[in-house]
């Protein structure tokens, strides 16, 4: 599915918001970034790009350990779509 203009604007507002930048850059709180990567992984999985979803989820897991909880969701969804 294609990203609409409204969805693109929402994504840009979240990523470029001052609070996001302050939390990540100044305070070193990567939880916001990890959550954004988890959401991106789910979105990629929903748009039938399981390889990229796995790559993004692995990147999130390198920053924090809790995205590993989503790994079974990615694997099961990919196996069901392939069969």
């Amino acid at each position: 599915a294609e990203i609409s203009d409204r969805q693109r604007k929402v994504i840009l507002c979240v990523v470029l918001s001052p609070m996001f930048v302050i939390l990540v850059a100044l305070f070193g709180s990567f939880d916001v970034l990890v959550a954004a990567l988890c959401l991106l992984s789910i979105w990629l999985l929903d748009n039938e790009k399981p390889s990229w979803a796995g790559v993004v989820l692995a990147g999130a897991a390198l920053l924090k350990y809790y995205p590993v909880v989503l790994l079974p969701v990615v694997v099961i969804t990919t196996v069901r779509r392939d069969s």
Side-chain angles (χ1 to χ4, degrees), residues 2-76:
E2 191 69 27
I3 298 176
S4 69
D5 288 335
R6 182 166 188 237
Q7 290 172 330
R8 187 171 285 126
K9 288 177 186 177
V10 169
I11 292 169
L12 284 175
C13 286
V14 169
V15 172
L16 298 177
S17 72
M19 186 56 86
F20 182 81
V21 173
I22 290 170
L23 282 174
V24 173
L26 295 179
F27 296 116
S29 175
F30 290 101
D31 291 326
V32 176
L33 182 59
V34 172
L37 289 173
C38 287
L39 288 173
L40 178 61
S41 177
I42 292 170
W43 181 80
L44 288 168
L45 191 61
D46 189 43
N47 287 307
E48 298 181 4
K49 296 179 179 161
S51 298
W52 283 109
V55 168
V56 171
L57 191 61
L62 287 173
L63 295 173
K64 296 279 185 173
Y65 65 89
Y66 63 83
V68 175
V69 173
L70 292 176
L71 186 61
V73 174
V74 172
V75 171
I76 290 170

